[in-house]
Amino acid sequence: MKIFLDTANVQELREAAAMGLLDGVTTNPTLIAREKRPFRDLVDEICRIVDGVVNLEVVATDAEGMVREGRELAKIAPNVVVKLPTTAEGIKALRVLGREGTRTNLTLCFSPTQALFVAKAGATYVSPFLGRLDDIAHVGMDLIRTIRTIYDNYRFETQILAASLRNPLHVVDAAVAGADVATLPFSVFQMLLKHPLTDVGLKKFLEDWEKAGISL
Ligand code: E4P
């Protein structure tokens, strides 16, 4: 499973990139707005840091506007993937951008029927939002499982990008369900490596070493 970071924060991206675990990044208008920096300056820096795909989202709501914005975004760097909303206009824009060779990610997907249309239209990625479904008392992970079955039944190549993940268990469940990608907030990314027994064990090793007065 590929790991993307769901952030527009360059410090967070640098930290994950230094571990060599970063396959890509997803941004959205909320995450970009949070950084309070000129858009182009921020995005150029993100593209330099991330040795993988950089998902940038359009803000137009009509197909023509989305195509115009998508073309601009795709010009920024060869690793840019254009995020479009999962709407009828988004599907129309995906068709045009896809024909031009631009990779697309259909975002804000909340149902299997939306995911079916997204795959039939030839998107590179579909982004089901699990946490937001959990928030309204639906089992978000069921959506990933259903989409996986549909895509496997018909050999669709669209990759399932599990989004809106809120905790490490979401990541494990998404991996078991066969998501191709998980996009994580930095806080969740950090939690994945943490284990109290690792910290306790390391402390003890170092204390014993110190006490014995050994040097390398
Ligand atoms: C994905 O591309 C989205 O940016 C993200 O996962 C949304 O997550 P949220 O529901 O925590 O805002």
Side-chain angles (χ1 to χ4, degrees):
M1 185 169 67
K2 284 178 238 164
I3 298 289
F4 290 2
L5 223 52
D6 195 29
T7 185
N9 183 280
V10 292
Q11 276 79 31
E12 293 179 353
L13 288 167
R14 279 215 175 82
E15 185 120 349
M19 281 191 252
L21 291 171
L22 193 59
D23 298 309
V25 57
T26 48
T27 66
N28 63 39
T30 305
L31 294 171
I32 295 278
R34 201 174 282 164
E35 297 308 307
K36 298 185 174 41
R37 279 178 62 179
F39 176 73
R40 192 53 204 258
D41 172 57
L42 174 62
V43 160
D44 282 343
E45 191 171 347
I46 291 174
C47 289
R48 281 197 300 273
I49 298 169
V50 179
D51 182 20
V53 296
V54 175
N55 284 262
L56 302 176
E57 189 160 339
V58 301
V59 287
T61 51
D62 63 303
E64 202 181 313
M66 289 185 208
V67 169
R68 198 173 44 247
E69 290 178 3
R71 284 178 181 149
E72 285 307 308
L73 295 173
K75 267 194 248 159
I76 294 176
N79 53 342
V80 166
V81 171
V82 174
K83 270 177 92 175
L84 303 162
T86 306
T87 59
E89 293 301 296
I91 298 278
K92 288 183 211 163
L94 144 65
R95 286 281 193 203
V96 178
L97 292 169
R99 272 200 299 270
E100 294 172 1
T102 297
R103 287 176 291 174
T104 52
N105 173 0
L106 274 276
T107 188
L108 291 165
C109 172
F110 292 97
S111 80
T113 51
Q114 287 181 310
L116 177 62
F117 276 17
V118 164
K120 282 180 71 68
T124 316
Y125 301 95
V126 65
S127 288
F129 275 40
L130 310 187
R132 293 193 193 187
L133 281 171
D134 287 357
D135 291 346
I136 56 161
H138 283 254
V139 181
M141 206 54 63
D142 283 349
L143 179 58
I144 298 281
R145 288 187 267 269
T146 307
I147 298 173
R148 179 75 283 155
T149 303
I150 294 170
Y151 283 13
D152 288 350
N153 283 349
Y154 298 99
R155 296 190 173 82
F156 285 125
E157 285 177 9
T158 299
Q159 296 182 49
I160 303 172
L161 193 164
S164 186
L165 302 178
R166 305 270 165 82
N167 56 58
L169 199 53
H170 271 159
V171 183
V172 174
D173 288 344
V176 172
D180 300 289
V181 187
T183 189
L184 322 175
F186 188 60
S187 55
V188 175
F189 178 87
Q190 285 176 309
M191 280 187 241
L192 295 185
L193 201 55
K194 264 276 174 219
H195 199 289
L197 290 179
T198 305
D199 297 341
V200 169
L202 181 60
K203 188 164 174 285
K204 177 83 170 75
F205 285 159
L206 296 180
E207 281 167 4
D208 291 346
W209 181 267
E210 184 79 11
K211 260 189 254 157
I214 316 166
S215 54
L216 281 180

